[in-house]
Amino acid sequence: MKLGWLEATVLTAATVANAKDLAYSPPYYPSPWATGEGEWAEAYRRAVDFVSNLTLAEKVNLTTGAGWEQEHCVGETGGIPRLGMWGMCMQDSPLGIRDSDYNSGFPAGVNVAATWDKRLAYQRGVAMGEEHRDKGVDVQLGPVAGPLGKYPDSGRVWEGFSPDPVLTGVMMAETIKGIQDAGVIACAKHFIGNEQEHFRQAGEAQGYGYNITESVSSNIDDKTMHELYLWPFVDSVRAGVGSVMCSYNQINNSYGCSNSYTLNKLLKGELGFQGFVMSDWGAHHSGVGDALAGMDMSMPGDVVLGSPYSFWGTNLTVSVLNSTIPEWRLDDMAVRIMAAYYKVGRDRVRTPPNFSSWTRDEYGFEHYIVSENYVKLNQRVNVQRDHANVIRKIGSDSTVLLKNNGGLPLTHQERLVAVLGEDAGSNAYGANGCSDRGCDNGTLAMGWGSGTANFPYLITPEQAIQNEVLNYGNGQTNVFAVTDNGALDQMASVASTASVALVFVNADSGEGYINVDGNMGDRKNMTLWKNGEEVIKTATANCNNTIVIMHTPGSVLVGDWYDNENITAIVWAGLPGQESGRSLVDVLYGRINPGGKTPFTWGKERKDYGAAILTVANNGNGAPQDDFTEGNLIDYRRFDKDDVEPIFEFGFGLSYTKFEFSDLKVKELSADKYSATTGKTKHAPVLGKAGKASDNLFPSGINRVRQYLYPWLNSTNLKDSAADPHYGMDAKDYIPDGATDGTPQELLPASGPSGGNAGLFEDLIQVTATITNTGSVAGDEVPQLYVSLGGEDDPVRVLRAFDRVTIGAGQEIQWTTTLTRRDLSNWDVASQNWVISSAQKKVYVGNSSRKLPLSADLPSVQ
Ligand code: NOJ
């Protein structure tokens, strides 16, 4: 595994001319084999036992999907009928079960981040895991750490958490633990650099009229990769995540699922990932190449969705039989898949899928795409339990109070409550009326795309406010709603007599395969949708107690109106899921004191965030080149470095009470010296014998489903055996150096069994602060700790620790946290390791990235 390091060269668009100048991803082979270290030991042992009993074709069946729409789930592998094991079910999404029924619609990841509450992240994970488990799902396709949020207007940022890697990393870990404690394998996605929807897949882009033949390349240098984009995946691996999804985009001009550098070196070598890598749907680009580059499962199995061919399936069987792929590599794929399966206890809690992703009808074709086998498909099992409670709680606790000039809380004494704006009301098509939520009708509670779930119901703000006024009011209050954003005259008339005008506005975004109003996944601008600015203007012109409530996937431009004196409060409610209205009224009427903090920056102008989303094919018809030249300076780090004033800074949020910070204490802890990992791996274990072609022929008597992707051979003549283009054949000329070598390999200096070198996670410094609630009501505060690493190229400050604490009126608490070696280190490209620089480091504590009343120099530690 020893290869000279070549830092990927990042070039500006202007220099993109010929292929040799393009950013480059160095090869890294062989693909590290699982070792079962740490918490994986028992699961690994059982997986090895299991896989040792399998035939070649059975192993292949675990690695390859049966094909698009061939089974119940969005992706499903083959099974091992001989051992009573049916295929494994992969199902979206990161916020609940997609394409199902009688399931919950949870708040989006961005709302979880806005709670800054690890416990709620965990509880949501458990609840989502329970629902997937009870529907027969083996792998829940979430959570999301890519996109991370390089672009504030990127389509899928809301599926993930925050552009801050520490906040995202913590929320990834808690979500993963929750899902897996419920007995379902989590999937950290999309690995890696999947920062925009435009050009993520060449085919999709062609559909939008772009003449490109390859998908976008995210050109990321090694330092930025480690200090920013890889960071939350480290936390995911440390949390024991069972699977990782490789992404559609290229990284330094090598596809996410073909990239030996990101998969073999970073994920499996350095981070010691023991689970399996599955492709995003259609992100699998080559048979032998991707196997050697570290991919372990092809989803949904076919070359393009709906084609009868596969890079793997029979072709993988062929590649092992003709020794193009060493058998240990296939064994490793199967072991990784089964280790994840045992690790979360699938064998104890498994039930076959009892729903179909392709129809809501009770009866239908099991093999939907080819209309074969008519059966009862949807058993309509209700899996919601009492999850509405955690959904409502996250909704309230993620609500961010951005401005309050006495507008909130409401008192029930208001004589006339006006509810204005389409975003307050129902979708006239029904809450699930647009497939994959691909429209912006009525109140917005999820973005669009595969990262969605069907709602069991959706409580709108209009419903909840009316209910509140009528049930808890003084019996004297009137409430009127105008939800047609074109009806400005009617809004003006209601607002002019209202005691309070609650104005609802939104902006929406989602995944690239759906275009909503010219937004091809990514938002085309950062303004409000549907005349939102005019609705606000109408209200403020007619009512001096206007409260603006926003449902958005991220930041929108509020500069034109936020400081209007008739706006007495501004609330961001994010994408809160099914309990939207109820979560909101709890905060509006003060039953819950808001404690959410914005997990992203609200800038004055789009340009303050840095580069725009790449929407121009800048490399002829080759892969568009997206150069991540800003390095790790995204979101608040960019604003801080440029000294640009945001409107609402990262980490900011008001409360109905006030908090004060005092008494900062810094203490050095005793820790071992950091040492680079040295030594070698063991030899790659070989668990079986491939046997001969004749051992892997189609079994007689099998009822072959059309287009279904099987692992068996049609003939003992390997050239003809797959009955399709020979993806598994004659690849030997292209085998990269070292890719088939199963002998012991050098360990990487920063590597370790669970997220990297164990020394990185040792606590070096303890920090304590006192927080006092100086107001008259109890409330939640989020103490935030930032570190200045002190180097010239470093961000001014980076978030390193936080908590959410409840403090009674007049009370104080002591908050204690620690800084690990990783928290204080920079990635050193030369030594390929983390190093604590000699620059003076400083710690800051407060309640936003710019309200940091406490600070101290840190002692120099190593
Ligand atoms: C493509 C999306 O990028 C991914 O997030 C999703 O899990 C798969 N489609 C399956 O629907």
Side-chain angles (χ1 to χ4, degrees):
M1 283 191 202
K2 233 181 178 172
L3 274 167
W5 162 250
L6 257 166
E7 194 184 354
T9 332
V10 171
L11 300 167
T12 60
T15 64
V16 172
N18 38 69
K20 72 174 177 25
D21 291 337
L22 297 180
Y24 172 67
S25 186
Y28 190 84
Y29 296 99
S31 188
W33 36 93
T35 52
E37 277 166 82
E39 287 182 4
W40 285 81
E42 173 66 8
Y44 174 79
R45 191 192 55 71
R46 293 182 67 190
V48 167
D49 277 358
F50 185 87
V51 174
S52 300
N53 280 318
L54 302 185
T55 66
L56 172 60
E58 284 170 337
K59 286 184 254 188
V60 167
N61 228 14
L62 287 175
T63 67
T64 308
W68 180 239
E69 296 185 349
Q70 280 287 11
E71 289 288 351
H72 301 74
C73 303
V74 296
E76 219 164 307
T77 65
I80 321 249
R82 181 175 66 87
L83 300 174
M85 183 175 172
W86 61 87
M88 282 175 69
C89 159
M90 324 288 144
Q91 189 69 12
D92 295 306
S93 81
L95 59 62
I97 311 170
R98 180 184 180 201
D99 295 332
S100 177
D101 49 18
Y102 300 95
N103 58 271
S104 305
F106 289 84
V110 69
N111 282 66
V112 178
T115 69
W116 297 65
D117 189 328
K118 300 167 197 177
R119 289 148 302 197
L120 287 177
Y122 176 78
Q123 285 169 27
R124 171 176 170 272
V126 172
M128 294 194 302
E130 286 172 345
E131 296 201 6
H132 280 86
R133 180 188 74 206
D134 295 350
K135 287 280 186 186
V137 174
D138 292 288
V139 183
Q140 177 180 351
L141 301 174
V144 171
L148 183 68
K150 165 175 155 71
Y151 300 114
D153 35 8
S154 173
R156 299 179 75 181
V157 280
W158 54 275
E159 289 190 45
F161 299 97
S162 161
D164 181 85
V166 169
L167 181 51
T168 290
V170 168
M171 294 308 175
M172 288 294 284
E174 295 304 316
T175 307
I176 288 162
K177 285 185 220 157
I179 293 170
Q180 298 198 159
D181 283 354
V184 168
I185 301 169
C187 178
K189 69 186 188 183
H190 307 84
F191 194 73
I192 195 168
N194 192 167
E195 291 296 317
Q196 62 170 51
E197 293 305 285
H198 275 81
F199 309 139
R200 65 175 186 153
Q201 296 189 84
E204 188 176 275
Q206 286 157 13
Y208 287 126
Y210 291 103
N211 180 21
I212 56 166
T213 53
E214 303 294 340
S215 308
V216 66
S217 175
S218 296
N219 299 332
I220 310 177
D221 65 87
D222 190 38
K223 185 168 153 72
T224 303
M225 178 61 90
H226 280 86
E227 294 184 359
L228 189 65
Y229 296 101
L230 191 62
W231 187 289
F233 287 100
V234 171
D235 295 305
S236 306
V237 173
R238 268 178 77 69
V241 73
S243 67
V244 167
M245 186 187 290
C246 49
S247 56
Y248 284 130
N249 57 288
Q250 306 193 59
I251 305 97
N252 299 325
N253 292 295
S254 169
Y255 277 98
C257 298
S258 316
N259 194 312
S260 64
Y261 189 80
T262 54
L263 299 179
N264 286 344
K265 183 172 187 195
L266 296 181
L267 182 63
K268 291 181 171 177
E270 194 175 308
L271 272 47
F273 175 56
Q274 300 287 309
F276 62 98
V277 175
M278 76 170 80
S279 68
D280 198 341
W281 271 234
H284 188 182
H285 289 285
S286 85
V288 173
D290 290 7
L292 297 175
M295 201 184 98
D296 303 302
M297 183 187 277
S298 172
M299 274 294 134
D302 26 23
V303 168
V304 290
L305 305 196
S307 96
Y309 303 128
S310 178
F311 289 115
W312 284 7
T314 305
N315 282 309
L316 188 53
T317 309
V318 171
S319 317
V320 174
L321 283 171
N322 70 16
S323 305
T324 318
I325 295 175
E327 178 141 29
W328 62 256
R329 178 73 268 271
L330 176 65
D331 289 346
D332 184 53
M333 296 176 190
V335 164
R336 286 171 175 276
I337 293 166
M338 291 311 297
Y341 177 95
Y342 287 123
K343 183 161 193 294
V344 306
R346 290 302 301 146
D347 53 319
R348 293 195 302 275
V349 298
R350 222 173 169 221
T351 175
N354 50 35
F355 71 104
S356 165
S357 297
W358 319 117
T359 172
R360 296 271 52 78
D361 294 345
E362 194 173 3
Y363 287 84
F365 291 107
E366 184 178 18
H367 309 297
Y368 189 79
I369 195 168
V370 289
S371 305
E372 286 190 32
N373 202 25
Y374 196 75
V375 291
K376 184 163 176 169
L377 274 180
N378 283 303
Q379 296 175 28
R380 303 187 173 157
V381 180
N382 189 308
V383 295
Q384 295 166 248
R385 292 192 174 76
D386 59 356
H387 297 159
N389 295 337
V390 71
I391 293 171
R392 180 172 179 174
K393 175 91 175 127
I394 294 173
S396 309
D397 285 5
S398 60
T399 303
V400 183
L401 183 59
L402 293 168
K403 170 178 175 180
N404 194 13
N405 285 353
L408 291 176
L410 300 175
T411 61
H412 293 116
Q413 303 302 316
E414 297 78 15
R415 271 176 66 88
L416 196 162
V417 177
V419 178
L420 307 178
E422 179 178 329
D423 182 65
S426 305
N427 178 351
Y429 296 168
N432 300 322
C434 305
S435 174
D436 289 340
R437 310 297 77 78
C439 63
D440 181 28
N441 298 350
T443 197
L444 186 71
M446 275 178 205
W448 74 74
S450 67
T452 56
N454 287 333
F455 289 109
Y457 55 79
L458 172 54
I459 298 175
T460 68
E462 180 191 356
Q463 290 162 344
I465 292 165
Q466 172 149 339
N467 184 55
E468 182 80 24
V469 168
L470 299 184
N471 289 331
Y472 305 104
N474 58 10
Q476 309 293 312
T477 309
N478 283 203
V479 55
F480 297 111
V482 183
T483 56
D484 180 337
N485 279 4
L488 297 177
D489 291 347
Q490 290 80 348
M491 287 186 184
S493 146
V494 173
S496 63
T497 60
S499 346
V500 59
L502 302 172
V503 177
F504 288 83
V505 290
N506 72 29
D508 199 358
S509 75
E511 193 174 341
Y513 67 94
I514 299 176
N515 175 349
V516 179
D517 196 21
N519 298 271
M520 302 167 199
D522 300 323
R523 280 187 278 162
K524 59 185 178 188
N525 55 45
M526 284 178 64
T527 51
L528 293 168
W529 285 34
K530 300 205 148 180
N531 216 19
E533 280 88 5
E534 288 305 310
V535 172
I536 295 174
K537 235 190 241 167
T538 304
T540 52
N542 290 283
C543 177
N544 65 4
N545 187 19
T546 295
I547 295 174
V548 178
I549 296 124
M550 294 182 274
H551 290 116
T552 69
S555 177
V556 290
L557 301 180
V558 301
D560 287 349
W561 50 266
Y562 81 101
D563 56 355
N564 182 313
E565 59 184 21
N566 287 345
I567 296 183
T568 53
I570 302 176
V571 167
W572 177 76
L575 303 171
Q578 71 189 42
E579 292 284 323
S580 173
R582 276 209 275 241
S583 303
L584 184 71
V585 293
D586 285 344
V587 174
L588 295 183
Y589 285 88
R591 278 189 297 276
I592 290 193
N593 187 352
K597 307 280 177 185
T598 176
F600 49 80
T601 301
W602 299 70
K604 288 186 186 135
E605 294 182 75
R606 173 60 181 86
K607 70 171 176 34
D608 295 346
Y609 292 87
I613 289 175
L614 181 65
T615 56
V616 179
N618 62 357
N619 185 25
N621 65 359
Q625 301 292 307
D626 189 4
D627 300 330
F628 287 32
T629 46
E630 70 288 329
N632 61 32
L633 298 177
I634 65 169
D635 198 72
Y636 69 89
R637 300 161 171 218
R638 164 101 265 147
F639 284 73
D640 288 353
K641 197 72 162 187
D642 294 350
D643 203 11
V644 168
E645 200 58 41
I647 290 181
F648 304 117
E649 74 273 17
F650 174 83
F652 170 75
L654 298 166
S655 161
Y656 298 150
T657 185
K658 287 235 160 346
F659 298 95
E660 267 170 24
F661 286 74
S662 60
D663 210 10
L664 182 69
K665 291 202 187 78
V666 173
K667 187 171 121 193
E668 188 175 336
L669 303 171
S670 68
D672 293 339
K673 222 173 139 269
Y674 183 62
S675 49
T677 303
T678 53
K680 286 193 168 193
T681 68
K682 296 203 175 102
H683 203 288
V686 178
L687 306 178
K689 284 214 175 65
K692 303 184 293 297
S694 55
D695 301 331
N696 291 287
L697 288 171
F698 257 98
S700 55
I702 187 171
N703 180 18
R704 289 171 74 157
V705 176
R706 267 189 308 128
Q707 288 199 30
Y708 206 90
L709 302 173
Y710 294 102
W712 294 294
L713 310 179
N714 288 302
S715 130
T716 51
N717 172 354
L718 293 185
K719 289 237 184 236
D720 300 332
S721 56
D724 72 4
H726 305 309
Y727 296 113
M729 298 296 305
D730 300 334
K732 284 204 179 106
D733 293 352
Y734 311 107
I735 302 294
D737 283 351
T740 58
D741 181 4
T743 63
Q745 302 289 317
E746 295 282 347
L747 295 168
L748 296 166
S751 70
S754 182
N757 190 318
L760 296 171
F761 307 100
E762 261 185 282
D763 289 331
L764 302 189
I765 289 175
Q766 189 188 69
V767 180
T768 308
T770 300
I771 310 164
T772 312
N773 178 345
T774 57
S776 54
V777 285
D780 285 6
E781 180 56 299
V782 177
Q784 299 165 39
L785 182 155
Y786 294 79
V787 167
S788 159
L789 291 170
E792 215 177 286
D793 299 334
D794 285 321
V796 176
R797 275 178 293 273
V798 287
L799 177 75
R800 282 297 188 250
F802 62 88
D803 252 314
R804 181 166 177 141
V805 294
T806 302
I807 310 178
Q811 311 253 291
E812 65 171 44
I813 62 142
Q814 271 221 332
W815 178 59
T816 301
T817 189
T818 53
L819 290 167
T820 63
R821 184 171 279 116
R822 174 196 189 209
D823 289 331
L824 300 171
S825 299
N826 286 100
W827 179 254
D828 181 50
V829 173
S831 65
Q832 286 292 288
N833 208 342
W834 292 93
V835 172
I836 300 186
S837 74
S838 58
Q840 175 66 52
K841 315 217 178 307
K842 222 172 153 169
V843 65
Y844 301 81
V845 175
N847 59 3
S848 88
S849 60
R850 293 200 167 197
K851 292 193 182 55
L852 297 164
L854 309 182
S855 63
D857 282 348
L858 288 177
S860 113
V861 287
Q862 281 304 316

